[in-house]
């Protein structure tokens, strides 16, 4: 885990928590590491989608 971390309480559906625990054991990573990586991936996709949206909207307004 990174040196600079923030603590948060997250409530998982029991089935999701069970899967996370199994994946943590299989990969020898912590649940926190797995969740952080999943969130980084999801947020990166959101960032790409937002960048495309803003680029298209700027083009649309420059035509007006």
């Amino acid at each position: 885990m990174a040196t600079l971390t923030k603590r948060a309480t997250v409530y998982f559906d029991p089935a999701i928590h069970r899967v996370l625990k199994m994946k943590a054991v299989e990969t020898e990573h912590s649940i926190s590491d797995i969740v952080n990586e999943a969130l980084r991936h999801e947020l990166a996709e959101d960032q790409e989608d937002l960048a495309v949206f803003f680029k298209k909207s700027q083009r649309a307004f420059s035509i007006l």
Side-chain angles (χ1 to χ4, degrees), residues 9-27:
T9 300
V10 179
Y11 296 95
F12 293 110
D13 178 276
I16 292 173
H17 188 252
R18 197 167 31 256
V19 170
L20 281 170
K21 287 195 310 187
M22 288 189 297
K23 184 165 179 91
V25 169
E26 289 173 7
T27 62

Side-chain angles (χ1 to χ4, degrees), residues 2-64:
T3 304
L4 299 175
T5 59
K6 291 290 184 178
R7 180 179 222 134
T9 300
V10 179
Y11 296 95
F12 293 110
D13 178 276
I16 292 173
H17 188 252
R18 197 167 31 256
V19 170
L20 281 170
K21 287 195 310 187
M22 288 189 297
K23 184 165 179 91
V25 169
E26 289 173 7
T27 62
E28 298 181 355
H29 288 91
S30 68
I31 290 176
S32 181
D33 288 342
I34 294 167
V35 171
N36 274 314
E37 184 59 32
L39 286 172
R40 277 189 203 94
H41 178 74
E42 186 64 30
L43 292 172
E45 284 185 6
D46 287 350
Q47 187 65 32
E48 291 169 10
D49 292 344
L50 286 171
V52 169
F53 171 77
F54 285 124
K55 192 172 187 176
K56 286 182 179 181
S57 66
Q58 286 175 342
R59 274 192 245 138
F61 285 117
S62 68
I63 294 172
L64 299 176

